[in-house]
Amino acid sequence: MLQTIVKLFKALCSNSHPGEIAHAVSIGLLLGLMPKNNLLWYVVFVFCLFVRFNKAAYLLMILFGSAIAVAFDPLFDKIGYAFLTIPSLSDFFGTLFDIPFVAFTKFNNSVVMGSFLAGLLLYIPVNILSRVLLKLWRKYAVPILRKTPIIKAIGSIPTLSSIAEQVQE
């Protein structure tokens, strides 16, 4: 876990492309909001491992999204139910349900569908917000952190020195 945090600090403080971190945050939040007991989650998770972005931010956002998703389950249920009960899509959903292995995605579960749709709707705003926050972090916070005695003290602890090195670079 410490290595993941070190990689995230390295990415936040380095000159890596902000888009890689922003996409990781957006996709991580999408997966974090979704229930983990369905094939759709695993397909998206594995597919995203082949995409180039910051894996540390991706994994940490999955954890963060999972922590807050429970509070939003009633909202996801309403969103999913409203989408799944659209009369013009009922034939399409019936056809999907008859296809082998598609039912394992649990797309017909209102919480799964609602959280997936909410994650898709939040993708672009979260991406833009992450880019803005990352630019502000690099412009204002990193120079201040480099001068603090706390970072210098962390640098003297062998296990945590790699975090301090990333901020001081």
Side-chain angles (χ1 to χ4, degrees):
M1 184 68 180
L2 186 61
Q3 276 307 106
T4 306
I5 294 171
V6 169
K7 287 180 184 179
L8 181 62
F9 268 105
K10 183 177 181 182
L12 289 175
C13 299
S14 70
N15 288 329
S16 66
H17 193 269
E20 291 180 11
I21 297 171
H23 287 301
V25 168
S26 300
I27 293 172
L29 185 64
L30 167 82
L31 285 173
L33 294 177
M34 289 177 57
K36 316 302 181 270
N37 63 346
N38 59 71
L39 185 62
L40 180 62
W41 190 89
Y42 290 106
V43 167
V44 174
F45 179 79
V46 171
F47 174 74
C48 290
L49 290 177
F50 294 107
V51 177
R52 182 179 174 156
F53 56 67
N54 187 287
K55 302 297 190 261
Y58 173 64
L59 294 174
L60 289 174
M61 280 308 292
I62 288 174
L63 291 174
F64 173 74
S66 298
I68 65 168
V70 177
F72 294 103
D73 275 350
L75 176 66
F76 296 151
D77 183 44
K78 290 177 184 175
I79 293 170
Y81 183 77
F83 184 73
L84 289 170
T85 56
I86 296 174
S88 60
L89 293 176
S90 64
D91 291 337
F92 174 69
F93 291 140
T95 305
L96 276 181
F97 198 71
D98 291 338
I99 297 173
F101 298 108
V102 174
F104 293 126
T105 63
K106 294 188 181 178
F107 73 91
N108 59 333
N109 183 326
S110 60
V111 176
V112 172
M113 183 58 77
S115 61
F116 183 66
L117 291 174
L120 288 177
L121 290 173
L122 288 173
Y123 185 88
I124 299 217
V126 168
N127 194 310
I128 292 169
L129 182 65
S130 329
R131 286 175 189 251
V132 169
L133 290 176
L134 184 62
K135 287 180 183 178
L136 291 173
W137 170 265
R138 287 180 179 173
K139 186 174 182 179
Y140 297 111
V142 171
I144 293 171
L145 283 174
R146 287 183 179 153
K147 298 174 186 174
T148 62
I150 295 171
I151 295 297
K152 294 176 184 175
I154 289 174
S156 64
I157 301 170
T159 358
L160 301 177
S161 62
S162 54
I163 294 175
E165 290 172 6
Q166 300 309 319
V167 172
Q168 292 175 353
E169 287 179 353

